[in-house]
Amino acid sequence: MQQNEHYVLGVLQEGGLLTRQQIDGARSRLNGEPGVLDVLFNDGALSEVDVSRALAAQAHMDWIDISTMIIPPQVINEIRGEDARRFKVIPVAFGESGLVVAVGNPLDIDTIDSLSFLLQRELELVCTSPKKIREALIKYYGTADEAADVLQKELGQDIDLGLDFGDGGEALPIDEADAPIVRLVSMLLIEAHRVGASDIHLEPMDKKFRVRFRIDGVLQEMQSPPKRLQSAIISRLKIMTGSISIAEKRLPQDGRIQVRIKKNPIDLRVSTMPTNHGESMVLRILDKSSLKLGLPELGFLSDDQETFERLIRLPDGILLVTGPTGSGKTTTLYACLNYINKPDRKIITVEEPIEYQMSGINQVQVNSEIGMTFPAALRSMLRQAPNIIMVGEIRDLETASIATNASLTGHLVFSTLHTNDAPSSVARLIDLGVQPFLVASSVRAVAAQRLVRRLCNKCKQPGELTDTELRALHIEPGQLSDAQVMKPVGCELCRHIGYKGRMGIFEIFVIDDEVRHMINKRTSTFILRQKARALGMRTLREDGVRKVLAGLTSADEVISMTVGDVS
């Protein structure tokens, strides 16, 4: 940029970022510095970001911060590493008319033309700072050691990895030869936490070692480490658990890692499984900040929240939360406990495993190896005179019977079931062997739920529903009169996806006297569902439609996460 410095200074002065006095003062103090801009950088009067933003505006080019983006491997692979380094560019996305490429100097037209000629394709250009280009070149095209060096520089003193091995013993000494792997694994964990991933999937393929993050319920492929580092990375993570054997590669194993990232305690549940190309590992990230979620943050609209708050304040009975694995049932139960956790109530939970530790609540870990099963723990819990009991999951008749009896003797019981909708829970309990009259008298309500992605509040824009979406969601024209339908767009905050975070959609089945009578008569699930809807129960899809019309999520999300309602 030095040969264009006079032009750049003119652009900065015209944009109000510099004054003539600042430029003259910097020129009089060159003292061997390469140029006036470098003097201004050293003085703190200017930054590379300021310059690149001003030049981008002058060139009518969008400016982006590529350090906040996750660039998919298929995009990175569009430009070879040696070419990206030579031209100082980073491919960032596939655009409508060509490959979107970030450049640090929009004035270097010859370089841009040369790259376009080399690739034999149209390019859509965006601008970022040269420093961010340099860091991205190392991140996406550099070695593991170079990437770890960039991480070390970025972290400074802000992030403490304080790793607790196993049951909190001292960290093992790190061999100097292993240091790059240790740092690379640390970078992987920190990056996953930074982007809000819920899972890290490390999957050995035939010719590569694939890394994917599950972000807002959707797996996204990350830049893969070299295949040759596969065993070293898996071994490092095994060591961090303090309980998984490094030597055993033929059997599945489970463990736990505890780390601190930006002083936040993070638990990682680790699972390994042998595959034909090596051990596959999944790390589930349990961020305790989700414990602070209230009912509105879960996704309840005001009327459903009022109903749910009334239900969880009941003195006794069973409240079930149902849905498939990964639908947020545990988070909902923890939010309920957090809401009713008061000094005048004794709350005991029995879980397998204890995912989050909550202050003021007695939590019991199931350990089948020593006979501490769900039924055994429940029997002991009842002798502790609790007011409220949470059972992680009702899996068998014995657990269901004890939970039912507990609810009939004055305890409020929270638990989960795996069913597709709320009315099916009745049939599920009866299938387990619970007598219909016990189900009818003990279960107060069932809440089925799914998770859908929230539209990014920063970039979402007004949109319209297609005819196909209107038919799929059974939306009448009259419902659109005061609707605020929004569509995903994509920005830096949401990593150009259009969604940021997730929310629940709910189906709340409140069991009244009429429904109890029907359960006693072993009425079919189909008839129970019809009756529940007649009494005002909204289905999962209907609740999703309300959130689409309120501009909270998209029609695609609701359609993909729910099935059509049966009348």
Side-chain angles (χ1 to χ4, degrees):
M1 200 178 290
Q2 294 299 325
Q3 58 268 43
N4 299 304
E5 185 174 83
H6 181 71
Y7 174 78
V8 173
L9 291 172
V11 170
L12 295 172
Q13 186 178 353
E14 183 180 342
L17 294 172
L18 288 177
T19 64
R20 170 53 58 185
Q21 290 77 9
Q22 285 177 304
I23 296 173
D24 292 341
R27 187 170 283 123
S28 66
R29 294 183 291 107
L30 281 175
N31 293 331
E33 293 284 353
V36 174
L37 285 173
D38 295 283
V39 175
L40 293 167
F41 290 155
N42 292 336
D43 288 348
L46 203 61
S47 70
E48 277 195 353
V49 171
D50 295 330
V51 175
S52 61
R53 281 185 179 276
L55 293 178
Q58 186 72 15
H60 303 289
M61 196 180 291
D62 290 334
W63 191 94
I64 64 172
D65 183 356
I66 59 174
S67 65
T68 64
M69 297 176 61
I70 300 173
I71 306 175
Q74 57 267 33
V75 174
I76 289 295
N77 293 337
E78 289 294 309
I79 300 180
R80 296 186 306 167
E82 53 267 35
D83 294 331
R85 289 178 183 272
R86 177 156 59 100
F87 292 108
K88 297 182 176 61
V89 298
I90 294 290
V92 295
F94 294 113
E96 294 181 1
S97 59
L99 183 66
V100 181
V101 175
V103 300
N105 182 6
L107 303 179
D108 193 354
I109 304 300
D110 291 339
T111 296
I112 295 167
D113 289 343
S114 298
L115 177 63
S116 180
F117 178 77
L118 175 69
L119 298 177
Q120 291 293 298
R121 65 186 302 173
E122 290 292 323
L123 301 180
E124 295 181 26
L125 300 179
V126 293
C127 186
T128 191
S129 74
K131 179 183 177 183
K132 295 183 185 296
I133 290 284
R134 293 191 295 270
E135 292 174 351
L137 286 171
I138 293 175
K139 178 178 179 181
Y140 293 105
Y141 296 106
T143 64
D145 214 7
E146 285 179 321
D149 284 337
V150 171
L151 176 70
Q152 190 97 4
K153 188 181 299 182
E154 288 178 352
L155 298 186
Q157 301 302 317
D158 291 335
I159 296 181
D160 171 22
L161 270 179
L163 301 177
D164 297 325
F165 285 76
D167 56 1
E170 293 184 1
L172 301 178
I174 299 172
D175 189 280
E176 187 175 345
D178 296 332
I181 294 297
V182 173
R183 294 162 68 206
L184 185 59
V185 168
S186 298
M187 178 178 70
L188 182 73
L189 301 182
I190 293 170
E191 179 71 2
H193 179 263
R194 186 183 71 83
V195 299
S198 60
D199 303 276
I200 304 172
H201 293 253
L202 307 174
E203 302 163 314
M205 303 284 111
D206 183 19
K207 296 182 179 178
K208 73 172 184 176
F209 184 44
R210 184 168 69 176
V211 176
R212 295 191 289 175
F213 290 172
R214 189 181 297 278
I215 303 173
D216 294 337
V218 178
L219 281 171
Q220 298 183 25
E221 189 167 349
M222 314 306 293
Q223 187 65 22
S224 300
K227 174 75 172 175
R228 67 180 185 276
L229 300 179
Q230 172 181 313
S231 296
I233 291 172
I234 295 294
S235 295
R236 170 60 185 168
L237 288 165
K238 284 183 173 182
I239 290 171
M240 290 171 68
T241 67
S243 60
I244 295 181
S245 170
I246 300 177
E248 182 56 75
K249 299 180 180 179
R250 301 165 300 170
L251 297 173
Q253 298 184 80
D254 296 299
R256 193 169 193 154
I257 298 173
Q258 294 178 313
V259 299
R260 297 184 70 84
I261 298 179
K262 289 188 176 177
K263 300 182 179 179
N264 294 325
I266 307 295
D267 283 357
L268 297 106
R269 299 288 313 286
V270 183
S271 172
T272 70
M273 177 171 286
T275 69
N276 58 335
H277 296 299
E279 284 184 285
S280 173
M281 179 177 280
V282 175
L283 297 89
R284 185 180 180 194
I285 302 171
L286 305 174
D287 187 349
K288 296 182 180 178
S289 63
S290 63
L291 286 180
K292 301 175 183 176
L293 290 178
L295 296 180
E297 287 80 10
L298 294 178
F300 285 105
L301 296 180
S302 57
D303 53 348
D304 280 344
Q305 181 180 337
E306 183 179 342
T307 300
F308 209 71
E309 287 178 355
R310 176 177 59 80
L311 292 170
I312 63 179
R313 286 197 297 262
L314 291 173
D316 55 37
I318 298 178
L319 178 62
L320 294 172
V321 180
T322 76
T325 300
S327 59
K329 301 187 299 294
T330 302
T331 300
T332 297
L333 287 184
Y334 276 122
C336 292
L337 294 182
N338 194 44
Y339 181 83
I340 59 179
N341 185 13
K342 301 291 189 295
D344 61 344
R345 296 174 179 175
K346 179 159 184 174
I347 303 175
I348 305 181
T349 73
V350 53
E351 306 169 60
E352 184 186 9
I354 295 174
E355 295 189 354
Y356 302 101
Q357 295 183 1
M358 298 186 70
S359 175
I361 292 178
N362 301 278
Q363 296 174 270
V364 178
Q365 169 78 50
V366 168
N367 188 344
S368 300
E369 293 180 3
I370 61 172
M372 179 61 87
T373 60
F374 272 109
L378 275 170
R379 281 192 292 267
S380 298
M381 285 165 55
L382 293 176
R383 291 193 287 270
Q384 296 281 315
N387 301 102
I388 298 162
I389 296 170
M390 187 190 94
V391 185
E393 182 183 347
I394 294 178
R395 304 179 180 181
D396 51 46
L397 174 59
E398 192 173 6
T399 304
S401 298
I402 297 173
T404 301
N405 291 331
S407 71
L408 294 175
T409 54
H411 302 87
L412 180 60
V413 180
F414 294 94
S415 192
T416 68
L417 274 179
H418 286 286
T419 61
N420 288 328
D421 60 10
S424 299
S425 299
V426 172
R428 173 64 178 152
L429 289 173
I430 294 173
D431 286 344
L432 286 175
V434 182
Q435 292 297 320
F437 76 91
L438 290 176
V439 175
S441 56
S442 62
V443 179
R444 295 286 182 264
V446 184
Q449 69 177 71
R450 299 290 188 278
L451 292 177
V452 295
R453 291 183 292 175
R454 290 180 185 267
L455 290 169
C456 176
N457 286 325
K458 182 178 179 182
C459 65
K460 65 182 181 182
Q461 293 181 359
E464 294 183 356
L465 297 174
T466 65
D467 291 339
T468 302
E469 290 170 339
L470 290 171
R471 287 195 300 271
L473 297 176
H474 301 293
I475 296 176
E476 301 295 333
Q479 294 177 265
L480 298 173
S481 58
D482 57 349
Q484 297 178 327
V485 177
M486 308 296 279
K487 64 178 181 179
V489 178
C491 65
E492 293 175 15
L493 180 65
C494 63
R495 304 175 305 281
H496 300 274
I497 295 172
Y499 297 93
K500 181 71 173 174
R502 287 190 290 176
M503 66 189 301
I505 54 175
F506 301 93
E507 178 177 284
I508 302 176
F509 178 30
V510 179
I511 297 178
D512 63 4
D513 290 338
E514 194 172 353
V515 174
R516 289 190 185 94
H517 180 67
M518 296 173 70
I519 294 173
N520 276 326
K521 294 172 60 178
R522 293 181 180 265
T523 304
S524 71
T525 299
F526 179 76
I527 302 299
L528 278 179
R529 185 173 181 80
Q530 285 187 319
K531 183 61 179 176
R533 295 190 67 179
L535 292 173
M537 181 190 82
R538 271 186 295 269
T539 65
L540 289 165
R541 178 159 286 192
E542 287 169 343
D543 191 43
V545 166
R546 292 203 303 165
K547 287 160 185 173
V548 170
L549 298 179
L552 300 174
T553 188
S554 67
D556 283 343
E557 282 293 294
V558 173
I559 292 170
S560 66
M561 295 306 297
T562 61
V563 296
D565 298 324
V566 180
S567 299

